Amino acid sequence: MTRWPCLTIIAMVLAILAGAALPALAQGTVIIPTRVIYPGETITMDSLEEVPLRRHLKNPAAVAAHWRQVEGKVARRTLLPGRMISVSSVREAHLVEPGKPVQVRFVQGMLEIAISGVSLQAGAAGDLVQIRNIDSGAVFTGTVMADGTIRVSAS
């Protein structure tokens, strides 16, 4: 066999292999659990795996494709190993829990008032929750801040 037909055959084989790998690259990857994750459990990196997507999804935004979409979040329902994780199946971790003491801050201009309260609801950063003032027993609503405090504003 001469040199040119040999190179042509090699080029054709490489083209076929590259063409077979192209759809896999175009589809991307998804994140799946490697073990059962139960509702209320915080999702950790060691319980996840990134795998290539084998089929086309109707709504790719509905499943977790990146680690940051699920890492550190809490499962809303049971997540099974080898199954794709729906974005609606996870939630942010709660910073305040019902019945636990919280620091409440009212800030208006230069005025800042801090009191102790008890959260009546669980909430993540940005959630509105009800709080009971420990001293007066009054119930009011505030926004959970990223540091776990509750911010109350004048209405």
Side-chain angles (χ1 to χ4, degrees):
M1 193 180 270
T2 64
R3 183 176 158 156
W4 289 108
C6 211
L7 289 176
T8 304
I9 292 172
I10 292 172
M12 288 174 35
V13 168
L14 289 174
I16 291 170
L17 290 175
L22 192 58
L25 292 174
Q27 291 295 325
T29 59
V30 291
I31 306 298
I32 61 167
T34 57
R35 62 173 181 81
V36 176
I37 300 173
Y38 295 99
E41 186 178 343
T42 301
I43 301 170
T44 59
M45 291 287 287
D46 63 337
S47 63
L48 300 173
E49 178 181 24
E50 186 174 20
V51 297
L53 191 57
R54 289 186 265 169
R55 60 185 165 93
H56 179 71
L57 298 175
K58 291 180 184 175
N59 185 5
V63 297
H66 302 286
W67 299 98
R68 67 181 175 276
Q69 289 178 292
V70 291
E71 181 188 12
K73 298 202 177 171
V74 176
R76 289 181 191 261
R77 58 186 60 92
T78 303
L79 305 175
L80 299 174
R83 300 285 182 120
M84 291 184 282
I85 301 172
S86 169
V87 175
S88 64
S89 298
V90 297
R91 65 168 171 77
E92 293 292 332
H94 289 150
L95 295 172
V96 295
E97 297 291 335
K100 302 286 183 181
V102 292
Q103 190 72 314
V104 181
R105 298 192 181 278
F106 172 82
V107 179
Q108 176 111 22
M110 296 297 290
L111 175 66
E112 182 174 337
I113 301 171
I115 63 168
S116 294
V118 174
S119 176
L120 301 177
Q121 298 171 308
D127 289 348
L128 286 174
V129 294
Q130 289 188 328
I131 304 107
R132 174 175 285 124
N133 183 329
I134 291 176
D135 297 328
S136 69
V139 176
F140 49 92
T141 304
T143 305
V144 179
M145 305 308 287
D147 62 356
T149 62
I150 309 292
R151 182 174 215 129
V152 178
S153 61
S155 46

